[in-house]
Amino acid sequence: MTDTGRLRRLLGGPDTAWLVQRVRRRLERGGALSGTVTLAGATPSQRRAVELLLGRRAAAGASLSVSLAEVDRVLRASGASPGGLAAAVEVLGGPVPDLVRERAETAAAWASAFDPLDEAVACRPELADWHERLGSSGLVRRLTSGPGEAAAMLRRLAAVVRALPASDVPLSRFAAETCGDAHALDDGRPLATLALSSARALVGLPFAADGGAENRRGTWAAVGVHLDELSSTVLCLGLPGDTTTATGRMLAAMRGEPVSLTLRQLRRRAAPMRAGLVRICENPVVLTEAADALGPSCPPLVCCNGRPSAAVWRLLELLADGSAEFAYHGDFDWGGVAIATAVRTRIGWRPWRYDAAAYREAASDTPLTGRPSPTAWDPALATAMSERGVRVEEEHVLSDLITDLGTATTHGAA
């Protein structure tokens, strides 16, 4: 039985506190109580305390070294602590936590918390880098109090990821359908921060936790989720108007000038829009130059303005319903390829100077970065981009595009 009074006299005073603390830290880390511990610059009273504990004079010198095995033997033999040094430390300072075990359990709990998200992205290579960064950045740990709270949030995030990209759905309804809470993805919510970062990854943007209001609105719109019917817009030029609808009358009145249509306007139009061949570009500068050069004679042109918003999709679908055909041009970079692929998958198009031949002819020395993607409409394009390693933006070939629009032809059309 431990002689608590004797133990405190031998090891419980202020001059041996450093020794007890060293032993305790070693036990917490799962270390063995062997070898020696050394105190640099020991005071005379600390030396005297160790001498009383061990029953012999300490070696001379500025530092003080103590054999843990000897301390253990003395405590057992004296009856102060029959259980030895480890037991003595617990008597003096309370139970010693097993930090190794606790860390292992915590790590296992965190790994388990990520399981639903791991499963959700297993077949989504486009989210692989985001998924890795999410785990390594510590963002989830900063946004939650621990693995328990994280597990609940990551289950919801997995449901969000599975549902993206969406198809023209309000944010509140999307949140209700995926998370069971219409406000789960409101700005400022931790889950909204994580969900928005996944949306950024889907549209090929760099990893980031958040951004300004305009950035958030644009990112959500790019994956088919809109905050409201007025913030989602589409730029167009040369679309024929009509006299039967408000939107048609506006298009007719603005013929020759770029027009910005809201999702609300397009949703209120039920009838298809008829326009024949519609050219699609990625950047607004094409519309600006076309309006300046061609005015009212410019053929129908729609701008994706980056990843298509809900309004862009709605306009393209109204045109497709009206039997329109589409010709597409975009930036020759991997982000542009991703946008082109999304549009082609949804409505179909033929290339408008957007193939390997056009890429090789375009002048540029801007380095191409990002993850390569296939170009199903012309597999040689992806090969050429990987080999040449430069990006070609629409601004580099504006004169060719405007010439095409002026002559109502498309080079490289299938």
Side-chain angles (χ1 to χ4, degrees), residues 132-144:
E132 182 179 351
R133 287 288 302 277
L134 192 65
S136 64
S137 67
L139 178 59
V140 176
R141 293 174 185 259
R142 294 194 297 272
L143 292 174
T144 59

Side-chain angles (χ1 to χ4, degrees), residues 44-68:
S45 61
Q46 288 172 327
R47 286 180 166 277
R48 179 59 180 161
V50 168
E51 290 173 346
L52 291 173
L53 170 64
L54 299 180
R56 62 173 178 80
R57 292 186 62 81
S63 61
L64 177 61
S65 294
V66 178
S67 167
L68 297 182

Side-chain angles (χ1 to χ4, degrees), residues 11-34:
L11 199 59
D15 291 321
T16 54
W18 68 274
L19 176 58
V20 175
Q21 290 169 358
R22 299 275 188 88
V23 173
R24 189 175 188 87
R25 286 198 295 269
R26 186 175 291 195
L27 290 170
E28 288 174 346
R29 295 193 298 268
L33 298 185
S34 58

